[in-house]
Amino acid sequence: MKRRVFMGLPMAFSIAAMAMFLNTALAADVSRITKEELKSRIGDSDIVVLDVRRSGDWKASPSKIQGAVREDPADVDSWAAKYPKETTLVLYCA
């Protein structure tokens, strides 16, 4: 039994390392916007600001971007398709 667990650890480590690499590679493809750029674009018809903080963090925060739409980060599959592809989505979580 111990031998099987030990043999599974290197595979688990390899999978974890690959997942971290892919996550970093995908994150590099995401454009970023500064708060100054966002301030200048608030109100544009082609931009939607999404507050994707977890529920507890969102409720506890006194700071919220006016006009931002609150979306649950755990339910991306249920809400992502409702935004047109030509719309710029700005997601924030802090």
Side-chain angles (χ1 to χ4, degrees):
M1 183 66 104
K2 288 183 182 181
R3 186 179 188 118
R4 288 185 185 178
V5 171
F6 180 72
M7 291 174 66
L9 287 177
M11 180 173 287
F13 178 74
S14 296
I15 291 170
M18 188 181 324
M20 288 187 333
F21 172 77
L22 288 173
N23 190 26
T24 302
L26 292 173
D29 292 338
V30 176
S31 299
R32 295 190 177 261
I33 186 170
T34 66
K35 64 183 175 181
E36 290 78 21
E37 290 173 308
L38 180 58
K39 281 181 183 180
S40 72
R41 296 202 51 200
I42 293 285
D44 287 1
S45 61
D46 66 333
I47 191 168
V48 176
V49 179
L50 300 175
D51 186 332
V52 293
R53 292 178 286 182
R54 291 180 295 182
S55 181
D57 295 333
W58 180 78
K59 288 177 185 175
S61 175
S63 301
K64 296 175 177 71
I65 295 177
Q66 188 173 4
V69 178
R70 167 77 174 86
E71 295 287 8
D72 186 347
D75 293 331
V76 172
D77 292 335
S78 68
W79 55 259
K82 75 179 179 181
Y83 297 102
K85 293 194 182 288
E86 61 274 358
T87 301
T88 300
L89 300 178
V90 177
L91 285 68
Y92 80 98
C93 59

